[in-house]
Amino acid sequence: MKAHWSGWRNLAYAGLLASAFAVAVLGSWRYGSEVDNWAYDYMFRHYQPAPWQTQSVLLAIDEPTLQLSNGMRGIRGVLAEGLRRVAAAKPKAVAVDIILADPGDPAENAALADAFRLTPNLVLSCQLINNGAQWEDPLLQFRRWAAAVGHVHAEPDPDDSVTRAISLEKRAGYDRRWALSLEAFRLSRGAPILESPSDLRVGSTIIPAPRTSAGRLMRVRFVPLNMAPIPRVSLAALLHDASLARQFTGKVVFAGVTAQTEVDRIFTPYAYGAVTPGIEINANAFETMAQGRFITDAPVLWVLLFCAGITIAIGLAFFFLPGWRAYAGAAAILLVAHVTPYVFFTHERVFSFAATVSVAWLAAIIAAAYQHLVVRRNLRRAEADRGKYQQTLHFVTHEMRTPLSAIQGSSELISRYPLTEEKRKQIADIIHSESKRLARMIEVFLNVERLSAGQMELKRETMPVKDLVDVSVARALPLGDRKRIRISLEPIPGDLRITGDRELMEYACYNLLTNAIKYSPQHTEVRISCRKDNGYIRVSVRDQGIGMDQKEVKKIFQKFYRTRRAEESGEAGTGIGLSIVQQIVEQHGGEIEVMSQPGEGSCFTLVLPVAAHAAAPTAAEQY
């Protein structure tokens, strides 16, 4: 069913696939963020990696704690007592996710400051205020005991308000602060933060967080659903049962509000519609760094190359595979496009789902539609060609019947009847002339196929146009005499020369001349002229026949097309002569111009390039 596609169709097919690739990629980058987020969250919820041991614990200020402290206004005294018990358990670091900037109660402040003094590797929190112009820091009496102050800003996605990443640094002018989780990680490892444009290094851990206009974003690897969540100890429960402090030994403690009435509305890939406390997001960010489970975006070049490969694969499937096999191959490639982002995610790479899937589907639709259209076009063309060849067969049998009948009848006369020598010679001449006519007819059809297949080898020689026209006129004179048509030849300069195949060019001139005679009424004139015009030689043959309208002029070079003038004149013809002439002229770098009006005759002009360098006259020309 597959046909060999022509060059320009292959280019059109490749161009359509390239356009599909470009449109899908650009469209996915512009409008596919929501699709990528949906796919990312879906994979997050369904992928279950090997579990790990968490290194952090939450000290939760929950609803019972708020009841104990009479709300957030009295939380500092309760928190101070809890931190003393936490400090006694010797944690690696303690991060407090409460902004302690307001004055508060002096007695409670003193108690809390004393608890901070006892707390190892204490990290206090700060936040940007006044549209990011300055930092809101904890009171100095608290800050003096802190090993670091870290910001607590999440980075919710603007499309759906889901927090998938945090910025590890924030700036207010020239004052930069690292994230609370990063400071806690640094202190727990006892190593400084070393930065480069592409990452951060803390001890032996390299954090892939390149510097961008949005800060150093790090995707948070939230604890999977197949694992136990980060341990949580209620501050109220700790004050009631001091033995719970054992859970903090050797851990990094994140103290903050978890009561639903007090926390900000922060969502995660696991909790659509459910509020997640900010302290829990900070703890998960710490776990991401502590476990080294970094989720990074696949390079854009990888995505582009993969999408290009998908496009090429689908294009080749529909180009080389027939019928249902092409669709089966495309379906397999579509499956690969859908699965690839998940495979990358299992290796902690985020691969654009929107880009791969949109490229795959758009390329498949375009390739399938193009193949469908090509197959339908080829089918229509095959049906049209079959009709033309049936018509051709009719013409051929009609044309060959006459010479074959003459040859058959003449041979029967010679074999069956005694004839005079003069009569035998006359019959032999008939057989000879009709066999030559039959041979010329066969040669014409063979030339059509050779020219169409590009198998006819053109000879290259420089020839005078005058000789070319003179030979054609001499061969056409007997046909003109029989119809009493005068052939008028305007003088042709002898220095006008063209380069090409002499035999084929004589055929082209002779064909135009005989057509003019065939389709002209008796007692008319056929005029031949030649002139040089801007590096081209124009050989014109003008008749006084019935002419053609513009609709016919557009079709006369089609194979087997017979004009109205041919039908009305009663002249037999196969309708392929002009097709051969056009191919001959085009292979010589020229073209044919036609001017015709009904009732005013027709003018066919061969436009051929002048020979670049006139060659010396051949012996035949000298003769």
Side-chain angles (χ1 to χ4, degrees):
M1 186 177 72
K2 283 286 182 185
H4 292 291
W5 295 359
S6 61
W8 71 267
R9 286 181 186 160
N10 294 345
L11 289 176
Y13 182 62
L16 285 174
L17 290 176
S19 300
F21 167 79
V23 169
V25 169
L26 294 176
S28 66
W29 287 347
R30 179 64 179 85
Y31 303 105
S33 60
E34 293 186 12
V35 175
D36 280 333
N37 287 340
W38 171 85
Y40 178 83
D41 296 345
Y42 179 86
M43 291 183 285
F44 225 120
R45 293 192 296 273
H46 290 81
Y47 173 57
Q48 297 183 352
W52 61 79
Q53 185 66 41
T54 58
Q55 300 180 26
S56 60
V57 179
L58 299 180
L59 179 59
I61 301 175
D62 52 9
E63 298 292 349
T65 305
L66 292 180
Q67 292 177 5
L68 182 63
S69 63
N70 294 319
M72 287 300 296
R73 296 182 62 85
I75 197 62
R76 294 183 184 181
V78 176
L79 179 61
E81 182 61 27
L83 287 178
R84 287 191 183 92
R85 298 189 179 188
V86 171
K90 297 183 179 179
K92 284 188 175 181
V94 176
V96 178
D97 186 6
I98 302 175
I99 306 299
L100 301 170
D102 59 284
D105 181 82
E108 290 184 352
N109 288 350
L112 185 58
D114 186 61
F116 286 161
R117 179 180 62 83
L118 300 174
T119 304
N121 292 328
L122 175 65
V123 184
L124 296 181
S125 58
C126 63
Q127 65 182 2
L128 290 169
I129 58 174
N130 297 331
N131 294 322
Q134 66 183 93
W135 289 106
E136 185 179 29
D137 286 324
L139 297 175
L140 184 59
Q141 68 179 119
F142 300 143
R143 188 174 180 182
R144 62 180 298 197
W145 303 113
V149 176
H151 78 80
V152 290
H153 289 277
E155 298 291 337
D157 191 284
D159 292 329
D160 53 19
S161 300
V162 175
T163 297
R164 301 177 179 89
I166 66 168
S167 179
L168 296 181
E169 68 174 6
K170 285 286 188 179
R171 292 178 181 272
Y174 294 101
D175 189 1
R176 180 183 64 180
R177 304 289 173 84
W178 296 115
L180 182 77
S181 55
L182 178 58
E183 290 286 14
F185 179 69
R186 171 181 71 85
L187 293 171
S188 69
R189 296 307 188 262
I193 299 173
L194 303 178
E195 56 181 312
S196 72
S198 59
D199 56 47
L200 299 174
R201 182 188 293 268
V202 178
S204 61
T205 302
I206 297 176
I207 305 171
R211 182 181 292 120
T212 66
S213 59
R216 292 181 180 270
L217 293 178
M218 182 192 75
R219 288 184 181 267
V220 179
R221 183 46 171 116
F222 294 93
V223 175
L225 295 178
N226 64 322
M227 283 179 53
I230 297 174
R232 179 182 298 189
V233 176
S234 167
L235 178 54
L238 176 63
L239 295 179
H240 179 73
D241 184 0
S243 65
L244 295 176
R246 290 195 299 266
Q247 299 185 45
F248 302 119
T249 302
K251 301 287 187 177
V252 173
V253 181
F254 286 87
V257 178
T258 61
Q260 295 294 308
T261 56
E262 295 291 339
V263 298
D264 296 329
R265 296 184 59 83
I266 301 177
F267 308 108
T268 69
Y270 286 145
Y272 271 77
V275 176
T276 300
I279 190 63
E280 188 172 342
I281 292 177
N282 284 317
N284 276 276
F286 166 81
E287 290 292 340
T288 302
M289 292 179 273
Q291 305 298 332
R293 305 299 295 263
F294 300 108
I295 302 175
T296 58
D297 293 333
V300 174
L301 181 60
W302 292 13
V303 178
L304 291 177
L305 290 177
F306 181 80
C307 290
I310 287 288
T311 305
I312 293 171
I314 289 176
L316 292 178
F318 281 101
F319 188 86
F320 287 109
L321 298 178
W324 65 268
R325 293 181 179 85
Y327 291 92
I333 297 169
L334 284 170
L335 179 62
V336 170
H338 284 74
V339 170
T340 296
Y342 181 79
V343 173
F344 270 86
F345 186 80
T346 61
H347 291 79
E348 297 175 337
R349 289 277 190 176
V350 178
F351 203 86
S352 176
F353 182 84
T356 55
V357 171
S358 59
V359 164
W361 275 103
L362 189 57
I365 291 171
I366 288 180
Y370 190 85
Q371 186 217 35
H372 179 69
L373 293 175
V374 167
V375 169
R376 289 191 62 184
R377 182 168 56 243
N378 289 342
L379 179 62
R380 290 195 300 268
R381 182 171 297 173
E383 292 175 348
D385 288 344
R386 183 176 64 180
K388 288 182 180 179
Y389 278 106
Q390 288 176 346
Q391 186 180 14
T392 303
L393 184 61
H394 170 74
F395 289 150
V396 170
T397 54
H398 175 78
E399 288 288 322
M400 289 186 175
R401 187 181 296 116
T402 302
L404 285 175
S405 298
I407 292 172
Q408 182 181 5
S410 299
S411 61
E412 288 181 357
L413 287 175
I414 292 176
S415 61
R416 295 177 61 180
Y417 301 100
L419 303 173
T420 63
E421 187 62 28
E422 181 180 356
K423 192 67 175 177
R424 281 178 173 273
K425 185 177 183 304
Q426 182 181 1
I427 293 176
D429 290 341
I430 291 174
I431 293 174
H432 179 69
S433 63
E434 292 300 324
S435 63
K436 287 179 66 178
R437 178 183 172 189
L438 187 60
R440 285 195 301 271
M441 190 181 304
I442 294 173
E443 183 180 3
V444 167
F445 281 100
L446 289 177
N447 285 342
V448 171
E449 299 305 320
R450 290 171 183 166
L451 283 171
S452 299
Q455 297 175 349
M456 180 174 285
E457 184 177 351
L458 296 179
K459 301 174 184 177
R460 296 290 179 180
E461 61 176 295
T462 302
M463 67 196 84
V465 178
K466 184 178 185 303
D467 293 355
L468 197 68
V469 175
D470 287 345
V471 170
S472 301
V473 171
R475 292 173 58 189
L477 277 175
L479 180 61
D481 291 341
R482 282 198 294 270
K483 293 189 67 174
R484 296 183 177 85
I485 293 176
R486 188 165 72 91
I487 300 177
S488 175
L489 177 61
E490 296 182 1
I492 301 175
D495 60 344
L496 296 183
R497 295 172 178 268
I498 61 173
T499 300
D501 189 306
R502 181 184 292 270
E503 182 178 352
L504 291 181
M505 291 309 304
E506 287 180 357
Y507 174 85
C509 292
Y510 178 70
N511 182 274
L512 294 185
L513 193 55
T514 54
N515 280 347
I517 295 171
K518 281 182 183 180
Y519 305 127
S520 295
Q522 295 184 359
H523 306 290
T524 57
E525 180 183 49
V526 173
R527 299 182 60 84
I528 304 174
S529 62
C530 180
R531 63 186 177 89
K532 183 178 179 182
D533 181 21
N534 293 328
Y536 287 88
I537 294 176
R538 306 172 69 87
V539 181
S540 300
V541 178
R542 183 182 297 275
D543 62 48
Q544 297 177 345
I546 63 174
M548 300 174 288
D549 57 29
Q550 292 304 307
K551 186 179 296 184
E552 284 190 307
V553 169
K554 294 179 181 179
K555 297 180 180 180
I556 56 175
F557 295 108
Q558 297 177 6
K559 290 182 183 178
F560 315 119
Y561 177 73
R562 289 169 58 83
T563 63
R564 181 172 55 86
R565 64 177 185 167
E567 296 172 354
E568 293 183 2
S569 65
E571 292 287 349
T574 59
I576 61 174
L578 285 177
S579 174
I580 296 177
V581 172
Q582 183 186 43
Q583 294 182 63
I584 291 173
V585 173
E586 287 179 351
Q587 291 190 26
H588 284 79
E591 60 179 358
I592 303 179
E593 295 179 354
V594 183
M595 292 191 303
S596 184
Q597 292 291 335
E600 298 181 7
S602 304
C603 179
F604 288 77
T605 302
L606 301 180
V607 183
L608 299 164
V610 176
H613 300 287
T618 62
E621 291 172 354
Q622 291 176 350
Y623 179 77

